[in-house]
């Protein structure tokens, strides 16, 4: 679990702002759900036999003996909230969320115990356009963030019934080659055999490559759904790879599943993952309602994203107020408040604690501010202010305080546009 210090927090803000504005441009509306939910919600929806539920959840009894869990993901909480508040039956819903998630995994690069996701979920829409929309939204986010090295992997798990049928076929195949399975896979043969397909064990790759393909077993409606999705992605010029072994680590999926991966981040290269979950609402206690969504891992995305100096500069003041003497302090604090009234995005830092001009200039310089706004007793008496450019070789000059707003507007014009974070 990491602290995010101010030099990094600005990057998080820029990233979250990009994701938020993109999702809102597709008319997804934000939903905020609690970080704690009843344990049962996750075990029922993510699946008793999954690693998340079996090994990774932070679960504890509260003072009443009710079992609660720090959310390991966001989809289950969204379903619970929309059901509880009657929104699931109120026509299609498109929502997005972001925030911390918790999994007690073995920490390594790109894998944390408290990590952050931004996700989107859509409910009540069966047709494949919405699956395509989900994928297009992700592609737009990569584009806006300048992320190039990502690949889209796609598969269809078919209906719940066809998946059960395939489960039988796969178990027969793997049981016939049990001597080639590792210990983990032998355990999964009875609990969660589809996940064996996902194994990274090099010694099992040949066996898994030759396994009967899941796509051959899916029902015809699911096959049509998948064909429509692929046609939509093709007509929008999106590249993807069909990965017949993509099964996902959560049990609620049917039909479409997808992952965006990169080879730039080492072992933890999945930036974003999602798919369709048409049975989940019913499992959680509602009327059967289709659903589809994704979640992206923000720590991993940040690793892939660079920000310009101008963007990172939003963390430093534009103006540092140098204030020498009591009268200057009194005048200066009011002047800064008046400026903020007129220019709400102006970043002006008031020097506190007195000191000589020299020592205050040093601090102004260190603050990375573009200009020092200087007030001493003389300026106060004349109702003027001195302005000293700090980032270019230019002389200090004096203006009347009544002209200050216009002067600052002129000086900061070129960077105004970037200040509306
Ligand atoms: P997930 O594959 O478990 O899916 O997680 C989605 C993404 O969260 C991963 O691709 C990864 O980028 C990030 N992530 C997961 N675990 C960690 C970790 N320990 N440290 C850092 N990043 C991590 C879900 O959570 C589903 N709820 C996605 C979804 C939404 N499906 C439908 N709607």
């Amino acid at each position: 679990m990491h602290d995010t210090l101010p030099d990094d927090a600005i990057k998080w803000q820029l990233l979250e702002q990009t994701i938020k504005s993109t999702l809102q441009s597709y008319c997804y509306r934000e939903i905020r759900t609690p970080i704690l939910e009843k344990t049962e919600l996750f075990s029922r929806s993510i699946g008793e036999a999954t690693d998340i539920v079996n090994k990774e959840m932070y679960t504890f009894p509260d003072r009443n003996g009710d079992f609660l869990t720090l959310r390991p993901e966001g989809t289950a909480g969204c379903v619970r909230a929309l059901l509880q508040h009657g929104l699931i039956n109120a026509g299609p819903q498109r929502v997005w969320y972001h925030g911390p998630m918790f999994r007690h995994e073995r920490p390594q690069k790109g894998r944390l115990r408290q990590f952050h996701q931004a996700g989107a979920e859509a409910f009540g829409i069966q047709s494949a356009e919405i699956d395509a929309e989900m994928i297009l939204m992700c592609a737009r986010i990569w584009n806006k963030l300048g992320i190039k090295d990502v690949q889209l992997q796609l598969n269809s798990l078919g209906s719940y019934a066809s998946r059960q049928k395939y489960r039988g076929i796969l178990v027969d195949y793997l049981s016939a080659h049990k001597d080639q399975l590792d210990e983990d896979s032998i355990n999964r043969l009875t609990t969660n055999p589809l996940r064996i397909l996902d194994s990274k064990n090099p010694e099992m790759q040949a066996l898994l490559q030759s396994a009967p393909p899941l796509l051959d077993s899916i029902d015809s409606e699911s096959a049509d759904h998948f064909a429509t999705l692929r046609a939509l992605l093709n007509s929008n010029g999106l590249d993807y790879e069909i990965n017949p072994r993509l099964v996902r680590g959560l049990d609620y999926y049917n039909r479409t599943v997808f992952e965006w991966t990169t080879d730039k981040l080492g072992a933890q290269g999945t930036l974003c993952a999602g798919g369709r979950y048409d049975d989940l609402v019913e499992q959680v206690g509602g009327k059967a309602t289709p659903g589809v969504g994704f979640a992206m891992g923000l720590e991993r995305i940040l690793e892939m994203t660079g920000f310009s100096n101008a963007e990172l500069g939003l963390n430093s003041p534009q103006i540092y107020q140098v204030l020498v003497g009591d009268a200057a302090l009194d005048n200066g604090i009011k002047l800064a408040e008046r400026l903020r009234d007129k220019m709400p995005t102006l970043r002006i830092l008031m020097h506190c604690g007195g000191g000589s001009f020299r020592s205050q200039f040093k601090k102004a310089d260190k603050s990375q501010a573009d200009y020092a706004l200087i007030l001493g007793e003389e300026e106060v008496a004349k109702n003027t202010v001195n302005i000293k450019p700090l980032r270019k070789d230019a002389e200090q000059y004096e203006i009347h305080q009544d002209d200050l707003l216009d002067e600052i507007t002129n000086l900061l014009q070129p960077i105004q546009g970037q200040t509306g974070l």
Side-chain angles (χ1 to χ4, degrees), residues 348-366:
I348 175 164
L349 190 148
M350 175 178 66
H351 177 85
C352 295
S356 65
F357 278 113
R358 202 179 130 80
S359 77
Q360 292 195 34
F361 273 129
K362 266 197 189 153
K363 290 185 174 126
D365 201 40
K366 213 171 147 200

Side-chain angles (χ1 to χ4, degrees), residues 11-86:
K11 299 177 189 164
W12 281 88
Q13 289 182 18
L14 291 161
L15 173 66
E16 286 160 3
Q17 177 59 30
T18 303
I19 294 173
K20 173 179 164 181
S21 63
T22 309
L23 297 178
Q24 289 186 340
S25 79
Y26 288 79
C27 300
Y28 284 65
R29 301 186 302 157
E30 188 180 4
I31 181 165
R32 299 185 183 205
T33 64
I35 285 173
L36 279 176
E37 297 274 358
K38 289 193 177 146
T39 304
E40 193 198 340
L41 173 69
F42 299 117
S43 40
R44 246 210 267 170
S45 52
I46 298 171
E48 298 280 1
T50 58
D51 283 352
I52 298 180
V53 170
N54 260 329
K55 308 188 204 157
E56 296 168 2
M57 295 204 305
Y58 283 89
T59 295
F60 56 90
D62 73 359
R63 285 172 189 276
N64 300 329
D66 294 327
F67 276 90
L68 301 179
T69 294
L70 284 172
R71 64 181 184 195
E73 60 101 54
T75 311
C78 276
V79 171
R80 197 245 341 112
L82 293 178
L83 256 177
Q84 188 176 331
H85 299 283

